[in-house]
Amino acid sequence: MAQLLAVLIDGLIYSSWLFIIAVGLTLIYGVMKILNIAHGSLYALGAYSAASLAGYWINHGYPPMGSYAVMLVAAILVGLIAGPVIERGLLRFMYGKDEIVLVLVTYAVFLILEDFVKLAWGVDPYFIAQPYGLLGSFDVGDLTYPNYNLVLFGAAVLIGAVLAWVLTKTRQGKMLLAVIHDREMSGAMGINVGRVYFITFTVGAMLGALGGTLTAPMISVQPGIGAETIVLAFAVVVIGGLGSLPGAALAAILVGIVRSAAVHYRPELDLFSIYLVMAVVLIMRPKGLFSAQEARKI
Amino acid sequence: MKHDPTLPILIAGSIILLAVGPFLPRWAMFLINVSLCYGIVVLGMMLLMRTGVVSFGHGLYYCLGAYAAGTLDQVFKISDMAVMLVAAVMVTALASAALGLLLRKYRDIFFAMLSLAFSMILYGLLVKTSSLGSSDGFNIAASRIAGITVAGTSVDRYVRYALTVVFAFIAGVFMHRYLNSHMGRLAGAIRDNELRVEYMGASVGNVIHVNYVISAVLAGGGGALAAIAVGHIDPEMAYWTTSGEFVFVGILAGTGSVLAPFLGAFIFETIRSFAYEYSPNTWQMALGITMLVVIMFLPGGLWSLFTRKRKAA
């Protein structure tokens, strides 16, 4: 019983993390039909900037509680710089190309950014563990969980709720849905599609970086974290149905619980379990759990 | 009809490679060996690209072929290169025939993602299999060929090299003939318009399935040969970045001719080995920029440079 509870709690924590890293990816795909491999690099950039900035903040004796604000600022900065540079500088010349070609374009961006990270931060790992332990911990049975996990959970719920609200309740969100539905028609109706793409990509980039900054205190920040994370985000997004927000949430929970069960009961199946879920879902529902019906085009 | 120089080039190239092999310095022989292995894999990618599907999980078969060769040595104590190669081809043919049953129904991004999932499943399994060395992999010793022990003799390296050249030659000739056959020509038609191919009475699913198996077998053969040449294998071979590299070299080379993958692989491996030596932290960046340039200005890959010139002349 205690173990089952641990599986659930671990699973929910992991689900929150998965949702945070995947939500930007699914947003960008939903609007722009780009499966953005560079999302992994934005995650890495976020983690590195958080490690640097929060490290600087703490080492200079500023109040440690402020490090959370610093991490948030780091994510916003990365999104605001990298998002526009990638979208305006490169992607906008590629719109209308094949989806697979767009994947390769973002793969190229991923490769470039991977080395950019190495050049800017070197290849040695960074650690900023302070924000992880700062908030104390809570006990469940004889297990102790740092309260930082609640921050993760809260952030996931908040991001999901805000995005859902913006998409369904605001004027901007409705315009976005119109663009998703029919790009050309909404352009003809006077929506500035280029601007919608620009804002979506920047917000998506910010969310990717935020995933990185929130993760940074829990891991050693080192080269390769982007490549590791992007495949997990792919798995979540593809399981949920590309471009679907509720799909990503459900997929994150599903994958999170399955993986945590695997880790507790059969640790050798850890990574395997995630991709098994992905393969099984794709086999049962080729376009993921929540996918829109598409008219067949000749 | 204009004369197609592909076959003579393949024959002449193989003979030259076999003839100069013994006189090459060790590093050059190794470089050619490894790039041929890579070229064989990319040859299979080329076939898939011609068919209009892109696999982001061909590392699966690359790794499977290598591990089929490796387990023969590790578990069954069989260290005959020829047997290893045959085993790799058979294992990957079986695996791809089975997975192809599923994948043949998928297209575009879903084909790419499902194949990625399969390769990551293998990666996840191998990383946790301690009897096969977990994430470190293990060394394999391919000491014999067709019953003759070559390990420790002066021709040891040359035999591995020659085996690769011969396999690459066979793969190249096969692919050249296949692309000009009825099935092979359907590939391009499917990429252009799948529905019309169905209307004309050909089975799109079958063609994709067959091409998938062929490309998987080439990836498996290339993986086994790479394992024999390098002498070490690890689960990284099934990681998605390995598969990404295959797609990358395929795009870089272009799908115009069976020679393109070998040329692309050779350029790629040469740049990689020198970049590792002189600037290990910027070589991926160079790759990324090259890829963007190729996608923007040479959608047909490097090979289109040749064909473009020929048309102008």
Side-chain angles (χ1 to χ4, degrees):
Chain A
M1 196 56 218
Q3 190 165 26
L4 197 64
L5 195 64
V7 166
L8 276 179
I9 294 176
D10 282 345
L12 274 182
I13 293 169
Y14 194 60
S15 307
S16 316
W17 181 76
L18 284 173
F19 181 73
I20 294 172
I21 59 163
V23 67
L25 191 66
T26 208
L27 178 72
I28 290 175
Y29 184 86
V31 179
M32 305 165 77
K33 300 288 174 281
I34 296 176
L35 192 59
N36 181 19
I37 296 186
H39 202 68
S41 320
L42 292 164
Y43 167 88
L45 281 174
Y48 271 102
S49 344
S52 294
L53 289 179
Y56 179 89
W57 180 268
I58 290 164
N59 289 339
H60 278 70
Y62 297 116
M65 277 301 178
S67 57
Y68 299 105
V70 172
M71 284 159 60
L72 195 63
V73 169
I76 292 171
L77 271 182
V78 170
L80 280 184
I81 297 170
V85 168
I86 298 172
E87 203 272 342
R88 286 289 97 183
L90 179 68
L91 288 180
R92 71 182 166 118
F93 302 110
M94 303 286 179
Y95 295 144
K97 283 195 200 275
D98 210 42
E99 268 181 41
I100 287 287
V101 175
L102 285 167
V103 171
L104 291 167
V105 169
T106 61
Y107 181 54
V109 177
F110 168 82
L111 289 175
I112 295 171
L113 287 179
E114 281 292 276
D115 272 359
F116 172 78
V117 165
K118 281 187 210 156
L119 289 177
W121 279 279
V123 291
D124 297 325
Y126 283 69
F127 301 94
I128 42 148
Q130 291 91 332
Y132 189 51
L134 210 54
L135 296 174
S137 56
F138 63 95
D139 292 326
V140 180
D142 45 3
L143 293 167
T144 305
Y145 291 94
N147 280 336
Y148 188 78
N149 291 316
L150 297 176
V151 173
L152 219 52
F153 182 73
V157 172
L158 190 69
I159 292 171
V162 168
L163 276 182
W165 177 76
V166 169
L167 282 180
T168 51
K169 301 283 184 226
T170 66
R171 189 182 147 78
Q172 294 295 328
K174 283 176 182 161
M175 276 158 61
L176 193 70
L177 291 180
V179 173
I180 294 175
H181 204 70
D182 194 327
R183 184 189 161 185
E184 283 175 11
M185 191 54 82
S186 45
M189 293 294 179
I191 296 178
N192 185 344
V193 176
R195 200 168 134 254
V196 169
Y197 276 21
F198 174 73
I199 293 172
T200 307
F201 194 83
T202 308
V203 170
M206 238 181 253
L207 288 170
L210 184 65
T213 54
L214 286 174
T215 318
M218 306 190 292
I219 57 170
S220 75
V221 182
Q222 58 192 16
I225 54 170
E228 254 168 56
T229 308
I230 187 65
V231 266
L232 289 173
F234 274 167
V236 171
V237 166
V238 170
I239 289 171
L242 285 161
S244 160
L245 194 60
L250 187 68
I253 293 173
L254 184 69
V255 172
I257 303 278
V258 168
R259 183 207 176 230
S260 121
V263 169
H264 276 272
Y265 296 108
R266 300 291 299 276
E268 70 275 14
L269 297 183
D270 177 3
L271 257 187
F272 170 81
S273 64
I274 295 174
Y275 298 103
L276 187 70
V277 172
M278 176 173 169
V280 169
V281 168
L282 277 180
I283 290 164
M284 302 295 209
R285 285 188 63 91
K287 302 210 160 164
L289 296 174
F290 285 61
S291 50
Q293 288 288 331
E294 255 179 59
R296 189 171 178 182
K297 285 180 189 153
I298 297 182
Chain B
M1 207 176 107
K2 225 174 76 198
H3 185 63
D4 181 3
T6 310
L7 223 43
I9 293 180
L10 272 177
I11 295 171
S14 309
I15 292 175
I16 292 172
L17 283 180
L18 284 177
V20 300
F23 308 106
L24 287 174
R26 250 175 86 163
W27 64 267
M29 196 198 258
F30 184 73
L31 178 66
I32 295 175
N33 195 342
V34 173
S35 25
L36 282 175
C37 298
Y38 221 89
I40 294 167
V41 184
V42 178
L43 191 65
M45 294 302 304
M46 180 186 98
L47 180 61
L48 282 183
M49 283 177 187
R50 279 196 171 211
T51 322
V53 285
V54 173
S55 161
F56 249 82
H58 248 45
L60 170 68
Y61 299 107
Y62 187 63
C63 183
L64 208 56
Y67 269 78
T71 34
L72 271 187
D73 174 48
Q74 187 87 347
V75 181
F76 302 102
K77 303 292 169 219
I78 299 171
S79 50
D80 193 312
M81 293 175 210
V83 181
M84 284 177 173
L85 195 53
V86 172
V89 165
M90 277 168 30
V91 168
T92 46
L94 282 176
S96 60
L99 291 183
L101 286 174
L102 289 166
L103 279 165
R104 60 188 280 174
K105 295 182 203 127
Y106 294 75
R107 300 293 179 272
D108 303 330
I109 221 123
F110 300 97
F111 186 93
M113 286 297 113
L114 189 58
S115 51
L116 181 130
F118 287 138
S119 79
M120 290 302 288
I121 284 179
L122 180 68
Y123 175 79
L125 275 180
L126 288 177
V127 164
K128 297 281 175 175
T129 311
S130 50
S131 60
L132 292 175
S134 299
S135 54
D136 293 332
F138 56 90
N139 291 328
I140 72 168
S143 51
R144 303 154 68 81
I145 181 154
I148 304 159
T149 305
V150 291
T153 64
S154 56
V155 292
D156 184 10
R157 284 182 185 278
Y158 180 69
V159 168
R160 289 154 208 253
Y161 168 86
L163 184 69
T164 312
V165 173
V166 171
F167 190 87
F169 173 71
I170 295 171
V173 172
F174 168 79
M175 186 61 77
H176 184 62
R177 297 190 66 111
Y178 180 74
L179 288 179
N180 288 313
S181 71
H182 178 71
M183 279 288 271
R185 285 181 190 275
L186 276 175
I190 290 173
R191 187 182 54 189
D192 289 343
N193 194 327
E194 204 176 287
L195 214 54
R196 283 194 193 162
V197 174
E198 287 276 356
Y199 284 162
M200 289 191 296
S203 161
V204 170
N206 280 350
V207 176
I208 290 181
H209 199 164
V210 169
N211 289 357
Y212 183 71
V213 172
I214 293 174
S215 71
V217 165
L218 290 176
L225 288 166
I228 291 170
V230 177
H232 181 82
I233 53 180
D234 61 46
E236 204 72 7
M237 296 175 101
Y239 202 51
W240 73 271
T241 47
T242 312
S243 310
E245 269 178 21
F246 295 143
V247 179
F248 174 89
V249 182
I251 295 278
L252 179 76
T255 56
S257 156
V258 296
L259 299 170
F262 291 109
L263 183 73
F266 181 70
I267 295 173
F268 180 77
E269 282 295 335
T270 310
I271 297 176
R272 164 147 68 190
S273 34
F274 284 102
Y276 267 159
E277 189 76 27
Y278 297 109
S279 85
N281 289 337
T282 50
W283 98 279
Q284 291 198 73
M285 188 177 273
L287 281 188
I289 293 169
T290 316
M291 175 122 114
L292 290 179
V293 170
V294 168
I295 289 175
M296 280 216 211
F297 301 110
L298 283 175
L302 289 178
W303 195 257
S304 60
L305 285 176
F306 293 99
T307 45
R308 199 184 285 174
K309 224 179 255 167
R310 210 182 298 157
K311 257 177 213 152

